[in-house]
Amino acid sequence: MKRIAVIDRDRCKAPEKCDYMCMKVCPVQKNNLKIFNILQDKKPSIDESLCIGCGICVKKCPFNAIIIINLTKEPDERPVFQYGPNTFRLYRLPIIKEGKVIGIIGRNGMGKSTAINIIAGLLKPNFGDFSKKYDDKEIIREFRGSELQSYFEKLYSNKVIISYKPQNITQIKNMLKEKTVRELLSKVINNLDEISKKFEIENILGRKIGDLSGGELQKVLYIFSVYKDHNLLLIDEVTNYLDIYERLRILNNLNEIKEKDTILIIDHDLLFLDSISDIIHIVYGVQKAYGAFSYPVGAKEGINNYLNGFIKRENLKIRDKPIRLDVKSYTDIKFGKNIIEWENVIVNLDSFRLEVNPGYIRENEIIGVLGRNGIGKSTFVKTLAGEIKYEGNISKNLTISYKPQFYDFSNYNITVDQFLKGFNEKYKEDYKEYLSMLNISDLLDREVNTLSGGELQTVYTFGTLIKDADLYLIDEPFANSDIEQRLVLSKFIRDIIKIKGKACLVVDHDLIFLNWVSDRILVFTGEPGKYGKALGIYENKEGLNIFLKQLDITMRTDEETKRPKINKQNSRLDLIQKQKGIYFE
């Protein structure tokens, strides 16, 4: 049995705060077999060939810095890439098929972005030998006999022209902050006025990149990537910060160009990935330890295999349980009295006006909020939170806990533990099982400003819900999170609200998980930046029908996994549903 040993160099505090406890308790080391070595940075390393997988060092490490994985079925090949001794390693790469859209789905921390950097030529494979630098010919030789041999031959002879939309758009924002949108896009687009109208960015052409919102920057970088000269388009997480309308706009644009383009795309939005991909690679493994790419399969089969947790072609189980999107928890709990009510609410902010039809939220109830960006969803949440002045009536005899959509923790030099104690001093005792379920336990000694986007969303949502309150307002909790994390976060939200008997309002753009977490749905309509209206709160199916009709798209439920799917525009199913007036079936 092969073993993988990983030591997190950031978490390991040897030798300053630990006198190599892992070495002292290791039974192999005690028997005078040198399994542990001290590297130049004074951190320990583990010889995986001598490790017996007992796990004693894992349990005894005071900083939870060690992971030992016993692989029951190891990947056929040696790693394509490994960062260093006892660090993350990646097995296999996605296959680049010309003229196809290759979708990649998998958890964060399993090497998707590492793989796309190798495909882009920004990182070179080392095949697990991190002490050696392979030249182009050696790399091509390692892939001989496979489709990747041909790809790397073209890549290293400069016959592959790559356009790459990276995952970390914040880094690009800082690099280009003084450039205007027009200056950036003019480099790759001649008919900029025409394209800007197509994507509705005319009003931001004169603004600096550093002043753009997350959604605006995401759209600008997508446009730059698509119109830059290329024969391979790499897109890493394009749906973050974008509302469903903008996601559909990009989806339609990709459908326009896909027949004459080769596209590789990573994303966590199942609706988006399912609608655009020709083939799917599933990435499986253990987060921050190792990742492996499955062999390619058709889009429907790939996403269904991922949700089921079983890759049929490889006879490989990647998860203990399937992800069920048709079964909600606590559906038997009855709603109680109204916790908050509102009527005749009007908000005027400079040139923007929001009108809200009467509504209420009851005990044990979670209300999902649907609508485009810029039509008042976050404005309404802030109004309920008491941050914005309004006309009309809102019952206010209650305490509120609020997670905003945007926040800046760059100057927060406090640990996650200190941050969470600000919400609830006894959170470790009261919410012990959820700390483990949400993978927050391993983050407690990390500083808040070092967390990834998905980790920060989870921590802030957790903190908001452990605070004692009557009404919980959560704005975009699923952004930057992978599918499993969205599911456990949805379960946590439902658990807390139903167990406490409180009320909650959740704003998000992921239709699948917003539908899963919500008991009813509040639908917004309007014109971005000018006018918004909250139409009312509806039962989920009715609310989704009203919302999807605004977008002129139809959705159906997959028979096998019960997941929603977008019908292709003007397809037979699309036209039949529209004729019946059923936009969500």
Side-chain angles (χ1 to χ4, degrees):
M1 178 183 289
K2 183 175 179 179
R3 292 181 181 84
I4 290 177
V6 176
I7 299 177
D8 188 324
R9 321 305 282 181
D10 293 325
R11 299 187 67 86
C12 176
K13 305 301 180 185
E16 296 88 355
K17 297 182 179 180
C18 164
D19 190 21
Y20 301 111
M21 176 65 73
C22 51
M23 294 174 58
K24 291 181 176 180
V25 299
C26 176
V28 179
Q29 191 85 4
K30 286 179 179 179
N31 284 327
N32 297 319
L33 280 173
K34 197 175 181 182
I35 182 173
F36 281 87
N37 290 290
I38 307 301
L39 303 180
Q40 286 184 344
D41 62 358
K42 297 184 180 179
K43 307 289 186 188
S45 71
I46 299 172
D47 185 338
E48 293 169 351
S49 65
L50 296 176
C51 178
I52 61 174
C54 65
I56 295 174
C57 62
V58 177
K59 294 175 184 175
K60 292 292 185 180
C61 175
F63 305 106
N64 297 317
I66 304 175
I67 303 172
I68 304 291
I69 303 158
N70 297 314
L71 292 175
T72 53
K73 181 180 179 181
E74 58 185 277
D76 299 332
E77 307 88 0
R78 58 180 173 150
V80 171
F81 185 82
Q82 185 171 346
Y83 284 93
N86 300 135
T87 56
F88 179 87
R89 64 213 67 186
L90 177 68
Y91 295 89
R92 295 200 290 260
L93 290 171
I95 304 299
I96 306 301
K97 293 183 177 288
E98 290 188 13
K100 298 290 185 183
V101 180
I102 303 108
I104 298 177
I105 186 172
R107 296 216 64 178
N108 289 332
M110 287 194 184
K112 300 188 301 298
S113 294
T114 298
I116 211 170
N117 281 326
I118 292 173
I119 294 296
L122 301 174
L123 196 63
K124 286 202 169 184
N126 60 20
F127 306 100
D129 187 356
F130 38 82
S131 62
K132 176 182 177 181
K133 287 188 177 181
Y134 283 74
D135 63 33
D136 297 350
K137 289 182 180 179
E138 288 176 309
I139 292 170
I140 292 167
R141 196 180 305 122
E142 289 289 337
F143 288 110
R144 63 187 177 273
S146 72
E147 291 178 83
L148 285 170
Q149 177 186 357
S150 173
Y151 174 75
F152 281 106
E153 285 173 348
K154 292 176 183 175
L155 177 69
Y156 295 145
S157 59
N158 299 316
K159 292 178 181 176
V160 179
I161 304 168
I162 290 173
S163 182
Y164 178 23
K165 202 297 292 180
Q167 177 187 6
N168 189 351
I169 64 172
T170 305
Q171 189 176 12
I172 293 178
K173 186 174 187 176
N174 293 333
M175 287 169 53
L176 304 175
K177 60 184 178 182
E178 294 303 320
K179 280 188 177 292
T180 66
V181 173
R182 183 180 292 278
E183 286 172 336
L184 177 68
L185 295 182
S186 293
K187 292 181 178 180
V188 295
I189 301 173
N190 293 324
N191 55 336
L192 183 54
D193 290 337
E194 180 185 336
I195 299 302
S196 63
K197 287 179 182 177
K198 180 177 180 177
F199 287 92
E200 295 184 14
I201 59 167
E202 311 103 295
N203 62 333
I204 65 169
L205 287 176
R207 284 171 56 191
K208 291 183 178 180
I209 298 293
D211 296 331
L212 299 180
S213 69
E216 289 167 340
L217 179 59
Q218 190 75 268
K219 191 157 62 164
V220 166
L221 293 179
Y222 169 78
I223 295 167
F224 182 89
S225 303
V226 165
Y227 287 94
K228 181 183 176 185
D229 186 32
H230 69 274
N231 54 25
L232 175 61
L233 178 60
L234 306 179
I235 303 175
D236 197 348
E237 294 194 24
V238 71
T239 60
N240 284 336
Y241 309 110
L242 295 180
D243 63 39
I244 184 67
Y245 185 90
E246 295 296 348
R247 295 180 191 198
L248 287 170
R249 191 202 301 274
I250 288 177
L251 181 63
N252 291 333
N253 180 249
L254 287 171
N255 277 320
E256 289 173 10
I257 67 173
K258 65 184 286 188
E259 290 184 7
K260 54 184 179 181
D261 215 335
T262 301
I263 304 169
L264 187 147
I265 186 164
I266 297 171
D267 214 276
H268 297 301
D269 186 323
L270 290 179
L271 288 173
F272 183 83
L273 207 60
D274 180 43
S275 297
I276 194 60
S277 303
D278 295 311
I279 58 176
I280 290 282
H281 283 279
I282 297 170
V283 186
Y284 60 91
V286 176
Q287 286 179 294
K288 300 180 181 179
Y290 84 97
F293 275 76
S294 72
Y295 296 107
V297 294
K300 178 180 178 180
E301 181 185 354
I303 291 177
N304 285 358
N305 283 351
Y306 182 77
L307 291 175
N308 288 329
F310 181 72
I311 303 174
K312 290 181 181 179
R313 178 179 168 181
E314 299 175 41
N315 193 30
L316 181 66
K317 193 174 184 181
I318 61 171
R319 198 184 309 108
D320 291 336
K321 296 178 182 179
I323 293 175
R324 294 286 303 273
L325 299 170
D326 59 326
V327 180
K328 289 186 185 183
S329 56
Y330 298 101
T331 51
D332 56 333
I333 289 185
K334 294 181 179 180
F335 303 122
K337 67 178 186 295
N338 292 355
I339 279 187
I340 187 169
E341 303 172 11
W342 60 84
E343 60 179 0
N344 305 320
V345 172
I346 296 173
V347 178
N348 288 297
L349 293 173
D350 298 324
S351 59
F352 179 78
R353 179 179 174 87
L354 171 66
E355 298 177 3
V356 184
N357 284 343
Y360 58 87
I361 311 177
R362 298 166 288 189
E363 290 175 337
N364 302 314
E365 187 169 39
I366 300 166
I367 302 295
V369 182
L370 273 179
R372 291 191 64 181
N373 282 337
I375 59 172
K377 302 186 307 299
S378 294
T379 298
F380 179 58
V381 171
K382 289 177 182 177
T383 303
L384 294 181
E387 294 189 1
I388 292 177
K389 293 181 180 180
Y390 63 92
E391 301 172 25
N393 299 307
I394 300 176
S395 61
K396 283 286 186 153
N397 188 23
L398 73 167
T399 55
I400 291 173
S401 183
Y402 168 46
K403 185 198 89 68
Q405 177 184 9
F406 298 113
Y407 38 82
D408 182 8
F409 284 128
S410 57
N411 296 318
Y412 269 57
N413 297 315
I414 60 171
T415 64
V416 171
D417 178 47
Q418 292 169 323
F419 177 69
L420 292 176
K421 281 180 178 175
F423 293 93
N424 185 330
E425 281 283 347
K426 297 172 59 182
Y427 79 91
K428 287 182 182 176
E429 302 166 35
D430 298 343
Y431 299 94
K432 185 178 180 180
E433 62 179 295
Y434 294 111
L435 284 170
S436 175
M437 183 180 91
L438 294 167
N439 293 326
I440 295 175
S441 299
D442 292 338
L443 304 176
L444 295 179
D445 61 349
R446 292 258 306 274
E447 289 198 352
V448 174
N449 57 19
T450 67
L451 299 181
S452 68
E455 290 169 340
L456 194 51
Q457 288 285 10
T458 300
V459 166
Y460 205 158
T461 302
F462 176 79
T464 303
L465 285 162
I466 62 176
K467 185 177 178 180
D468 189 23
D470 301 307
L471 174 66
Y472 296 87
L473 306 174
I474 307 173
D475 203 344
E476 295 202 25
F478 304 134
N480 297 304
S481 299
D482 60 47
I483 292 158
E484 279 93 338
Q485 197 67 10
R486 292 179 191 194
L487 182 66
V488 296
L489 203 54
S490 299
K491 286 180 176 177
F492 174 66
I493 293 170
R494 287 190 70 84
D495 279 6
I496 296 303
I497 298 305
K498 304 297 182 177
I499 291 169
K500 287 184 174 183
K502 304 298 184 179
C504 184
L505 190 144
V506 179
V507 181
D508 209 87
H509 297 300
D510 188 319
L511 291 185
I512 290 179
F513 286 99
L514 193 70
N515 178 45
W516 194 93
V517 79
S518 305
D519 297 304
R520 290 190 298 155
I521 289 177
L522 173 60
V523 181
F524 277 68
T525 188
E527 185 178 354
K530 294 182 179 179
Y531 169 74
K533 184 167 186 177
L535 298 176
I537 303 177
Y538 305 90
E539 296 302 319
N540 284 23
K541 198 166 186 178
E542 184 183 2
L544 284 167
N545 264 286
I546 292 169
F547 178 67
L548 293 173
K549 189 173 183 179
Q550 294 177 27
L551 302 175
D552 193 36
I553 65 169
T554 59
M555 291 169 56
R556 69 188 190 279
T557 302
D558 180 76
E559 293 180 3
E560 181 183 344
T561 59
K562 307 302 178 186
R563 64 181 171 92
K565 298 183 62 161
I566 296 175
N567 292 321
K568 189 176 180 180
Q569 196 81 1
N570 297 319
S571 66
R572 184 180 64 85
L573 289 172
D574 179 58
L575 294 173
I576 289 173
Q577 285 185 220
K578 284 177 179 175
Q579 199 172 34
K580 293 179 180 178
I582 300 173
Y583 286 78
F584 182 78
E585 188 170 41

